[in-house]
């Protein structure tokens, strides 16, 4: 099995709509697939209030998390 961040990141992005991974050294991140981003973007323009609110929550989560950095502080704010 391949290990390491470069393999984890690739698997998380290509195999899941929302990929979450953590490294043994305490780093890790949350990544979103392009398909998921497109679905959230299109859902925020629909007229359904329930779907719109859910899509807005996911849109804001995407803005809070910086997948390039793997910032533990932002991830903790997300959990809080």
């Amino acid at each position: 099995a391949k290990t390491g961040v470069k393999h984890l990141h690739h698997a998380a992005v290509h195999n899941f709509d929302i990929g979450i991974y953590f490294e043994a050294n305490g780093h890790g991140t949350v990544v979103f697939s392009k398909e998921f981003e497109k679905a959230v973007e299109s859902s925020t323009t629909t007229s359904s209030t329930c779907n719109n609110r859910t899509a807005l929550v996911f849109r804001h989560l995407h803005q809070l998390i910086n997948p390039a950095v793997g910032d533990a502080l932002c991830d903790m704010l997300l959990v809080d």
Side-chain angles (χ1 to χ4, degrees), residues 8-19:
L8 286 173
H9 188 85
H10 178 76
V13 170
H14 293 287
N15 297 328
F16 303 98
D17 288 329
I18 302 173

Side-chain angles (χ1 to χ4, degrees), residues 1-54:
K2 295 180 179 181
T3 60
V5 175
K6 64 183 176 184
H7 300 294
L8 286 173
H9 188 85
H10 178 76
V13 170
H14 293 287
N15 297 328
F16 303 98
D17 288 329
I18 302 173
I20 303 170
Y21 65 89
F22 295 97
E23 303 171 56
N25 64 3
H27 293 169
T29 194
V30 179
V31 292
F32 301 93
S33 70
K34 293 295 180 192
E35 293 81 16
F36 181 79
E37 291 174 7
K38 290 177 188 175
V40 168
E41 185 66 34
S42 67
S43 294
T44 56
T45 60
T46 63
S47 59
S48 172
T49 304
C50 180
N51 287 343
N52 193 324
R53 182 171 181 182
T54 303

